[in-house]
Amino acid sequence: TARQKAIDAIANTEYDLNQLDFRTNQLKDLFGVNVFSEEVQKARLPKPVFKALQNTIKKGAQLTDPAVADAVASAMKDWALEHGATHYTHLFQPMTGLTAEKHDSFLSPTGTGSALAEFSGKELVKGEPDASSFPSGGIRATFEARGYTGWDPTSPAYIRENPNGATLVIPTVFVSWTGEALDKKTPLLRSMEALSIQALRILKLFGNTEVKKVFTTVGPEQEYFLIDKNFLYSRPDLLNCGRTVFGAKPPKGQELEDQYFGTIPERVLACMADCEAEMFKLGIPVKTRHNEVAPSQYEIAPIFEDSNLATDHNQLTMDVIRRTAEKYGLACLLHEKPFAGINGSGKHNNWSMSTDTGENLLNPGDNPHDNAQFLVYCVAVIRAVAKYPELLRVSVASAGNDHRLGANEAPPAIISIFLGDQLQDVMDQLERSDLKSTKQGGFMEVGVSILPKLPRDAGDRNRTSPFAFTGNKFEFRAVGSFFSIGGPNVVLNTIVAESLDYIATELEKATKGGKDLNKAIQELLPPILKESKKVVFNGDGYSEEWHKEAEKRGLPNLKSSTDAFPVLIRKDSVELFGKYKVLTERELQSRYFIYAEKYVKEVAIEANMMVMMAKTMILPAALRYQAEVAAAVNATKAAGVDNAAQLEHLKDLTGVLSKFQAATKALDDAAGHHAEGDAYAHAKYMKDSVIPKMAELRTFGDKLETMVADDLWPLPTYREMLFIK
Ligand code: ADP
Ligand code: MG
C-alpha cells in the first residue's frame, strides 16, 4: 500500500541536517541582510529623499513628490540587482487570507538589440495586477476587474531568494478603482490610524504633546505541525484540505503529556534553525521555539512589532516554514485542526499600544501619574471587549477554527477577559471608589495611589481565556493558526479606538469645565467598569459552569462561524466601522459574502474528499478484507470446525461496512445539493445538513480502520503520522 511505501521511504532516507552551520555563519550577521531597511535607505538615498521617505514612514506624511518615488525606486533597484534580483513584485494580501504576487522583470529592451534594467517611481508606487479572480464579494464587477496595488512604505521592501536568483518584494495594499479595500492590509492601516487619533487625545489630556503617533503592537505566537512529507503524499485529505477527514484515535495520543516543551527532534530542530536563519535575513525578529502539546506540534514566536509589520511578517513566517520544511523532507501543516482528538493549532495575538517615543501604554507605571494613564487605557480595552464581543468572535470565524474553539483545548467561543488576581483587585477597588465610602478606606485613588506590582504572566496560565491581560499587553487567543492576523487586529484596533474616543470625549468635557483630570478619571471609570464587568471572568473557561454562568450574564455564545458571520453586517457594526473610516458598509457586505463563500467551498471540498476517499480507498480495502474473512469462514465450515466467532466477526464487519456505504451515499447526496439563496444561506446549509453527515461517515470509516487487516489499510494512520519523525 501507499502507506507502507511511505513508511519505507522514511526509514530509508538520510536527511541532510547540516544545510547550514551557525559556527561559521553567525546568526547575528544575518539579521536584515535582505531588507531595504532604514540603514540601507540612509546609505543609498540622497539626504532629502531619505528624509522625505522617513517622514512618510514614521509620521504618515503623504509622499507627493514623484521625484522622491523615482529616487527611492532607483536605489531599491540597484540594491536588489546586487542581491541577484531579476524581478520585482507587488505583494498583496487578498481576501483569501494568503498573499498574492505577480513578478515583473526589471529588464526593458532598448530597441537596439540590448536591454536595460529599469524601475521607475511609478512602478514602485502603483501596480495593476489582473486581479479579476480574487474574491471581491461583489465590489468589483468583472467588467471593471482591475484592482490596483499601492506601495506601503511603512513595511520595508525585501529580497526573497530563490534557487537561481531573487525577487524584490514590495508590500502593497490592494484596492478597487473606486478606492474600496479588496485586501487585509488596507483596513488594518486605517484601523491603526483611527486608534492613533483617539489614543493621542488621551495622551494630550495627560499633558503629553511630544508624541505624534500611537502604534498598536503585535507579537503573534504561531503554532504548527510538522510531519514527514511522505505521509502528506499518501493522504489526499491532508494534501488538499489541510486536515485529515478520516483517522482513528491512536492508542497513544497526547495523554502522557510528554510532548510540551520536550526535546525537539533533530530533524525538526535543523528545520527550525534554517527557518530562523531565513527569517533573520528578512528582518523578522524571531525569538522562541518549542514543542507544543500535541505530538509533532510546535510553536514559533517573534518579538512584537507594529501591527502592520507584524502582520506582514507573520504571513512571511508561515511561508518560510512551509518552504523550509520541504528542504528537510517535512510538511508544515497550518490548518487549525489537522488531527481529530489531539490539540489543534492557534495563534496567540499579543496586543498593545505604543507611542512613537517607545512607551507601552498598557505598561503599569511606577508612579501615580503613569498609573492613572495605564488605568485609562486598560479600562478602554475592557470596555471595548465588553461592548463588541461578537465582533471579536467573527474576526476568528472560519470552517477550520470551528473545529478548535470550544473543543477543550482552545478558548470557548464565548468571549471573556481574564484580568488575573492583582489587576482584578485594582479594578474592584476602582469600581468601588465611587461609593465614597469613608469607613473602609483603602480604595484606589487615581493619581495618588500606587498600583501593586502586576506580575508578567508566564504566558500559559489560564489558557482557557480567549482574552487575557498578561502584565503589559492583552493576549487574544482565539485566532486560528492559518488566519491572517490582519482581521482580528482590525477589529481590536477599531473597538478600542471607539472606547478611547468615548473616554477622551468625557474627560475633555469634564476638564474643560475646570475639573481636575484625576478627579474626572476617578468619576468616569467606575461606571464603565460596572457596565463592562460581565465580560470579566478569571476562572476555568472550559467548565460547564462557565457556559451556564455566561448565559446568565447574557454573554453571546456564537458557537459556529455561521452564527457569527451576520454580525459583520449588523447595524451597530456598520456604524462603528463607518464612524472610524475603517470599513464602509459595502466593504463589510463584501467581506460577509467572501467569508460565507469561503466557508462553503472549504466544507464542500472536505465533503467531496471524504466521499472520494470512502469510495476509492476505504471501501476497496474493507471489501478485500471482507472477502478474506468470508473465505476463512467458508474454509473453516468446510473443514467442519466450530467457526461461530469468525462468523460473528464477519457479521460485525459487514454491518459496519453497510452503514459506512449508506453514510457515504447520504453525504454524497447532501454535498451534491445546491441550497437556495445566497452564499450565507448555502453556508447555513453546509453547517446544518452536510457537516453532520461528514461526522457520521467518519465514525464508520474510523471504526473500519480498527477492524480491517493492517496490511490492507491504505492510509497512513495517526500513530504513524504523528510519531514517525
Ligand atoms: P511569555 O508570554 O511566554 O511570557 P512574553 O510575554 O515575553 O512571553 O511574550 C509573548 C509574546 O508577546 C511575544 O511575541 C512578545 O514579543 C509579545 N509581546 C510582548 N510585549 C508586547 C507588547 N507590548 N505588544 C505586543 N506584543 C508583545
Ligand atoms: Mg502565550
Side-chain angles (χ1 to χ4, degrees), residues 1-26:
T1 59
R3 168 179 161 230
Q4 284 143 350
K5 281 195 200 123
I7 297 171
D8 283 348
I10 300 165
N12 295 321
T13 310
E14 278 284 345
Y15 296 96
D16 178 6
L17 304 188
N18 293 312
Q19 300 183 44
L20 95 173
D21 188 343
F22 292 125
R23 279 160 295 221
T24 52
N25 226 332
Q26 298 249 319

Side-chain angles (χ1 to χ4, degrees), residues 126-200:
K126 197 174 201 172
E128 289 177 41
D130 177 13
S132 46
S133 36
F134 290 105
S136 80
I139 279 187
R140 194 170 23 71
T142 32
F143 62 84
E144 42 157 336
R146 282 176 171 242
Y148 70 88
T149 52
W151 177 36
D152 168 19
T154 59
S155 181
Y158 56 90
I159 290 288
R160 197 171 53 218
E161 296 172 78
N162 57 46
N164 34 38
T167 307
L168 170 67
V169 183
I170 300 153
T172 60
V173 294
F174 179 43
V175 291
S176 76
W177 278 109
T178 42
E180 281 150 320
L182 297 172
D183 68 342
K184 303 253 172 195
K185 189 192 263 280
T186 306
L188 179 63
L189 291 171
R190 292 177 186 160
S191 71
M192 288 174 74
E193 180 70 30
L195 183 135
S196 181
I197 293 169
Q198 304 306 333
L200 284 173

Side-chain angles (χ1 to χ4, degrees), residues 337 350 374 488 545:
K337 193 77 175 181
N350 294 275
F374 161 75
E545 296 87 75

